[in-house]
Amino acid sequence: MAKASGLKEIAKSDPKTYQTTILGVDKKLGDDKATLAKLTTAYNKAVAQINKHKASDYQEILTKDLGFPEAVAKNYTLPHYEKAGRVPAKMLQAAFNYAKEEGILKNYIDASHYQLPVAK
């Protein structure tokens, strides 16, 4: 948006490939396997629906609902979303360990306590 407004770009990550989605639930929902399966199935259906379209199909939403300037919305590319899946246990543990080392977390956290089943 800044570039479309005439500001000079000095650095950027690749906005076409950068996309992060984290789906988290509270313990009660996490323990309810039937509801969790329905949630992930619905999420995966939404991912499939979004991935079938181009950003141009969402121009009105981008400009009117999300406030994108028309110049930006015209050139916007939707990211490719992935179906729901588990974060690999080693990666999650490494993130928790890093947060502990940096003082973000006060106590050690065992990543295995935070892995939930994901519906396919």
Side-chain angles (χ1 to χ4, degrees):
M1 284 189 228
K3 192 172 179 181
S5 299
L7 298 175
K8 184 175 174 140
E9 179 181 296
I10 56 172
K12 72 175 179 178
S13 56
D14 185 355
K16 292 181 178 148
T17 60
Y18 183 78
Q19 182 263 329
T20 301
T21 302
I22 299 172
L23 179 61
V25 297
D26 66 16
K27 179 160 177 33
K28 183 178 178 182
L29 178 57
D31 290 341
D32 184 343
K33 291 185 183 356
T35 302
L36 191 59
K38 288 178 186 177
L39 175 69
T40 54
T41 298
Y43 175 86
N44 290 340
K45 284 182 180 179
V47 163
Q49 180 69 18
I50 291 170
N51 286 341
K52 281 195 309 189
H53 293 276
K54 296 180 280 186
S56 59
D57 298 332
Y58 298 107
Q59 288 299 299
E60 189 171 325
I61 294 170
L62 290 171
T63 56
K64 292 185 178 167
D65 296 340
L66 299 177
F68 278 56
E70 285 195 30
V72 172
K74 285 181 192 174
N75 297 314
Y76 186 72
T77 303
L78 290 174
H80 178 81
Y81 290 94
E82 299 292 330
K83 287 185 173 183
R86 283 180 155 195
V87 174
K90 282 178 126 177
M91 182 185 293
L92 185 58
Q93 189 62 60
F96 285 146
N97 292 347
Y98 174 80
K100 172 76 171 84
E101 290 166 10
E102 294 298 315
I104 298 165
L105 295 173
K106 292 182 180 181
N107 301 310
Y108 170 82
I109 294 179
D110 182 349
S112 67
H113 297 160
Y114 293 89
Q115 289 284 336
L116 297 173
V118 176
K120 298 283 177 182

